């Protein structure tokens, strides 16, 4: 059985003005977790364990839904696997391109 920490308790402990929390533990200064996988992301939900965030590789974060990586953030930037729906304008300071995809609507750079 996995053990869980309530983040609200961690937040309360890390704001302690003393050097020790509850007179026995040093305050928490960061959280380190396992890398996880697309099927079992490190940061997930109790009732939806294949949706969340995980460390794909060094300097590479993946966001998954239904066990499928949908968003990647790495040293190259942000990439989306699937449909990207935009509710407002996109402002680009460089070129916008599509690889094996299409654009619809009006676009200007």
């Amino acid at each position: 059985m996995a053990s869980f920490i309530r983040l609200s308790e961690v937040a309360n402990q890390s704001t302690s003005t003393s050097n020790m929390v509850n007179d026995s533990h040093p305050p928490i200064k960061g959280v380190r977790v396992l890398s996880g996988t697309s099927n079992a992301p490190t940061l997930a939900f109790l009732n939806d364990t294949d949706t969340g965030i995980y460390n794909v590789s060094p300097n590479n974060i993946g966001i998954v839904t239904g066990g499928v990586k949908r968003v990647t953030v790495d040293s190259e930037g942000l990439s989306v696997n699937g449909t990207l729906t935009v509710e407002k304008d996109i402002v680009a300071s460089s070129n916008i391109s599509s690889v094996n995809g299409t654009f619809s609507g009006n676009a200007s750079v």
Side-chain angles (χ1 to χ4, degrees):
M1 177 77 171
S3 61
F4 296 94
I5 297 173
R6 292 183 185 184
L7 292 181
S8 59
E9 293 173 7
V10 172
N12 290 337
Q13 291 177 358
S14 65
T15 58
S16 173
T17 57
S18 71
N19 289 332
M20 302 300 272
V21 175
N22 297 330
D23 298 323
S24 62
H25 303 287
I28 296 171
K29 295 182 180 180
V31 177
R32 294 181 186 221
V33 295
L34 298 174
S35 293
T37 66
S38 60
N39 290 323
T42 302
L43 301 174
F45 303 92
L46 287 175
N47 295 322
D48 190 2
T49 59
D50 62 357
T51 295
I53 301 171
Y54 75 108
N55 178 239
V56 179
S57 61
N59 302 313
N60 185 328
I61 296 172
I63 299 174
V64 298
T65 59
V68 177
K69 184 172 58 166
R70 304 293 182 182
V71 176
T72 300
V73 180
D74 60 20
S75 61
E76 298 295 316
L78 173 86
S79 62
V80 177
N81 175 21
T83 301
L84 175 64
T85 303
V86 179
E87 300 293 328
K88 290 286 269 172
D89 296 337
I90 295 177
V91 178
S93 60
S94 186
N95 294 330
I96 298 175
S97 61
S98 173
V99 178
N100 300 324
T102 60
F103 291 111
S104 62
N106 299 321
S108 61
V109 179

